[in-house]
Amino acid sequence: MDEMEEELKCPVCGSFFREPLILPCSHNLCQACARNILVQTPEAESPQSRRASGSADYDYLDLDKMSLYSEADSGYGSYGGFASAPTTPCQKSPNGVRVFPPAVPPPPHLPPAAAAASALAPVPRNSCLTCPLCHRSLILDERGLRGFPKNRVLEGVIDRYQQSKAAALRCQLCEKAPKEATVMCEQCDVFYCDPCRLRCHPPRGPLAKHRLLPPAQGRVSRRLSPRKISTCTDHELENHSMYCVQCKSPVCYQCLEEGKHASHEVKALGAMWKLHKVVRDQISHCTVKLRQTTGLMEYCLEVIKENDPSGFLQISDALIRRVHVTEDQWGKGTLSPRMTTDFDLNLDSAPLLQSIHQLDFVQMKVAWFSFDPGTAHSDIIFSNDNLTVTCNSYDDRVVLGKTGFSKGLHYWELSIDRYDNHPDPAFGVARVDVLKDVMLGKDDKAWAMYVDNNRSWFMHNNSHTNRTEGGITKGATVGVLLDLTRRTLTFSINEDQQGPVAFENLEGVFFPAVSLNRNVQVTLHTGLPVPDFYHSRGTMQ
């Protein structure tokens, strides 16, 4: 019922309707808000005076053809078209709809009795009301706002909706008379009361790492949980990473190496997605329209439940008109295509080739080491004499180097052999007892830089700092420079320093470390010279 909430809020104040009135255009307004946006028209321009004078050269009810809607931006303006009427500037309501402010602001701090009397006071003669949704202008007769019927059905729907939102979330494991839930486990996706949590979800073993949320936050988290990543139909364990131009379908890297797409022209999936921004705009437009339509449908279903015949018949025609208008809007352009499916895309491979040519493997009299299968997570996959690693899990897993350092200057690099779907691998150093099933830097045993295709961050003990522009792609090189003489840790991407000095005051024994998932494969290179940017910094210091 969340989509229906927009139907239950006043377009002027942005809050749930209070004493809603039904306008002839089928829209609703709070009675107080309707009074606030009334504008008094000159006596000489009233319908009665024009009929008395025999002049009827225009329909006064069709004010949207006059200067009231002469503003160029959205049809809202001021009543400057009437010679004796003062100009009334327009403003925006909390939900973005432009409305006219009251001609005379109400006195502040009115007592309840006085406020009620003010709301029921007669409106000035010759008042005009403009619907903030459809911009239709309405001239009030001698009855004023009392001429508009009250929407009792809408008030009943709002009461039921607010009661349902206020209802407490209940435990899903209680056998009889479920108790009020106190937590929701994000991993189990279950609401627990305290006794059931202690009995069925004890804070020990594997369950100790589960994240428990307050019930209200858990409901939001459940509603906003991300969708699963699309995988290849031919290789179920692989994500789509490229786009086959000939077949016009996404493919994975195994399709390009051994499948039917090996000889086809392919283009980067991410670049193709960005190219079609107009498609995303149309999808966004349809999503908003779909949400509004769904809200209207849910509201109509609630109205059908109403057991007040007179109240239902009072608004049924208005609802039928709104449904017809919404149906016409969908048919007239919401779903019409706005672009052709034929396109062309040129990729500039020069930066990638330059990065590959810059890779330099120079042997120095420094430590040579490889990754350590003995201390790595079981999901890590080793090859190339334990110099190349990837992972068979979509979650981040940690692998350490075989050699620990407690003094001296050490520099190693990791080349990115495979990089699909823009993950964020992490590189750095760690203690030997670092957590192996989370991203590097999540606990206090690791100091790392994690990086995606656009930017990087430093992380230690789950604290994220120093966001820096510049990311990685396939073929890029990440450098890690551990200077235990100065007790610092510095990172580079493609031989350029990435951000400031990442960490200082390092003491103890540190092991080279990486965390990655199945979308990344890296190869370790050791015995390398210290990069030029570090020599330059040492000279300046």
Side-chain angles (χ1 to χ4, degrees):
M1 294 177 62
D2 292 334
E3 289 81 1
M4 184 178 65
E5 185 168 313
E6 188 176 343
E7 287 288 325
L8 308 182
K9 290 186 176 181
C10 174
V12 176
C13 65
S15 303
F16 287 109
F17 285 105
R18 296 181 181 178
E19 298 183 309
L21 303 177
I22 307 175
L23 304 182
C25 60
S26 305
H27 294 118
N28 299 278
L29 287 179
C30 297
Q31 179 173 293
C33 294
R35 178 175 295 275
N36 284 342
I37 64 174
L38 286 175
V39 177
Q40 186 176 5
T41 59
E43 179 71 23
E45 298 291 342
S46 67
Q48 293 85 354
S49 63
R50 294 193 66 85
R51 284 197 297 267
S53 64
S55 174
D57 55 343
Y58 66 90
D59 184 359
Y60 198 85
L61 291 178
D62 197 14
L63 286 180
D64 57 342
K65 297 179 181 178
M66 300 185 60
S67 59
L68 173 60
Y69 298 106
S70 61
E71 296 292 319
D73 55 352
S74 64
Y76 280 84
S78 60
Y79 286 84
F82 300 105
S84 58
T87 299
T88 306
C90 59
Q91 59 187 15
K92 285 191 177 181
S93 68
N95 61 352
V97 177
R98 288 191 174 186
V99 297
F100 290 99
V104 179
H109 310 300
L110 281 177
S118 174
L120 295 175
V123 299
R125 295 184 59 189
N126 308 323
S127 294
C128 174
L129 175 68
T130 301
C131 175
L133 292 177
C134 66
H135 307 170
R136 180 178 175 183
S137 298
L138 309 164
I139 301 298
L140 276 64
D141 58 20
E142 62 276 1
R143 295 175 298 170
L145 294 178
R146 292 192 301 274
F148 299 137
K150 290 187 177 181
N151 195 337
R152 298 194 303 262
V153 173
L154 178 56
E155 287 182 315
V157 173
I158 291 174
D159 289 339
R160 293 196 298 270
Y161 178 78
Q162 290 180 319
Q163 290 172 6
S164 69
K165 294 288 283 187
L169 292 167
R170 299 293 174 180
C171 175
Q172 295 176 270
L173 297 183
C174 288
E175 296 181 357
K176 296 180 179 180
K179 299 179 181 179
E180 183 176 345
T182 56
V183 297
M184 180 257 191
C185 176
E186 193 174 42
Q187 284 71 33
C188 301
D189 196 23
V190 174
F191 290 93
Y192 298 94
C193 64
D194 283 333
C196 290
R197 176 178 59 83
L198 295 175
R199 184 178 70 254
C200 305
H201 199 287
R204 59 180 180 271
L207 299 178
K209 297 180 180 179
H210 286 199
R211 185 184 179 197
L212 301 180
L213 304 174
Q217 183 180 349
R219 175 161 56 184
V220 174
S221 175
R222 172 185 284 180
R223 189 167 66 244
L224 300 180
S225 58
R227 297 180 179 179
K228 293 183 178 180
I229 299 174
S230 174
T231 57
C232 179
T233 55
D234 296 328
H235 309 94
E236 296 182 355
L237 297 180
E238 299 299 333
N239 296 339
H240 291 139
S241 58
M242 300 294 287
Y243 183 87
C244 178
V245 176
Q246 183 173 337
C247 301
K248 295 187 177 180
S249 63
V251 295
C252 72
Y253 81 99
Q254 284 194 10
C255 292
L256 307 180
E257 293 181 355
E258 57 193 43
K260 62 182 181 180
H261 304 276
S263 59
H264 294 177
E265 180 186 2
V266 295
K267 304 200 175 188
L269 192 63
M272 192 66 65
W273 174 68
K274 292 180 181 179
L275 180 69
H276 286 70
K277 185 178 186 300
V278 63
V279 174
R280 289 188 283 130
D281 290 344
Q282 185 173 7
I283 291 173
S284 176
H285 173 70
C286 290
T287 301
V288 172
K289 192 64 183 176
L290 180 61
R291 185 175 67 249
Q292 294 172 345
T293 305
T294 303
L296 178 60
M297 291 171 57
E298 291 184 351
Y299 173 53
C300 291
L301 292 175
E302 288 296 317
V303 169
I304 292 173
K305 300 176 185 177
E306 187 61 41
N307 56 9
D308 177 5
S310 64
F312 176 80
L313 293 174
Q314 186 182 48
I315 67 169
S316 59
D317 288 341
L319 275 182
I320 291 173
R321 286 196 298 271
R322 288 193 59 192
V323 170
H324 284 322
V325 169
T326 301
E327 184 179 10
D328 291 342
Q329 289 175 346
W330 275 104
K332 287 182 178 179
T334 303
L335 298 178
S336 60
R338 301 184 182 180
M339 66 170 294
T340 176
T341 56
D342 298 328
F343 51 84
D344 186 25
L345 176 65
N346 294 319
L347 295 179
D348 183 10
S349 61
L352 178 61
L353 294 174
Q354 181 181 2
S355 300
I356 295 175
H357 292 153
Q358 286 178 348
L359 295 179
D360 185 20
F361 309 105
V362 181
Q363 181 174 349
M364 297 287 290
K365 295 181 179 179
V366 292
W368 291 79
F369 58 91
S370 60
F371 290 116
D372 184 8
T375 58
H377 192 280
S378 58
D379 290 337
I380 296 294
I381 301 174
F382 295 83
S383 61
N384 189 25
D385 294 329
N386 297 334
L387 292 174
T388 300
V389 291
T390 185
C391 181
N392 61 14
S393 171
Y394 287 111
D395 297 320
D396 291 300
R397 302 300 188 221
V398 172
V399 57
L400 301 180
K402 277 190 174 182
T403 303
F405 305 110
S406 60
K407 59 182 179 179
L409 177 63
H410 307 278
Y411 177 71
W412 61 94
E413 291 180 347
L414 299 113
S415 57
I416 311 301
D417 304 330
R418 178 162 52 84
Y419 185 79
D420 300 330
N421 300 312
H422 311 304
D424 43 1
F427 310 88
V429 297
R431 309 294 191 193
V432 69
D433 56 344
V434 65
L435 292 177
K436 305 296 196 310
D437 58 352
V438 296
M439 179 187 287
L440 196 67
K442 286 285 187 179
D443 62 359
D444 61 351
K445 304 295 178 61
W447 296 256
M449 175 187 74
Y450 68 95
V451 57
D452 60 16
N453 61 313
N454 290 318
R455 58 192 67 86
S456 66
W457 295 261
F458 303 147
M459 182 165 62
H460 169 66
N461 200 16
N462 206 26
S463 175
H464 310 250
T465 60
N466 295 98
R467 166 176 161 169
T468 304
E469 296 299 317
I472 59 174
T473 60
K474 179 182 177 181
T477 301
V478 176
V480 183
L481 199 156
L482 177 63
D483 189 346
L484 292 174
T485 302
R486 297 177 180 172
R487 299 160 57 193
T488 62
L489 182 64
T490 308
F491 297 95
S492 65
I493 295 180
N494 294 331
E495 298 185 350
D496 291 325
Q497 183 172 342
Q498 184 73 359
V501 174
F503 302 101
E504 299 178 328
N505 302 318
L506 299 178
E507 290 184 344
V509 179
F510 302 90
F511 289 80
V514 176
S515 69
L516 73 174
N517 64 15
R518 65 177 298 109
N519 291 312
V520 184
Q521 177 176 300
V522 301
T523 296
L524 175 66
H525 307 279
T526 60
L528 303 179
V530 175
D532 293 337
F533 72 81
Y534 198 74
H535 287 305
S536 302
R537 196 185 72 185
T539 302
M540 289 187 293
Q541 290 179 345

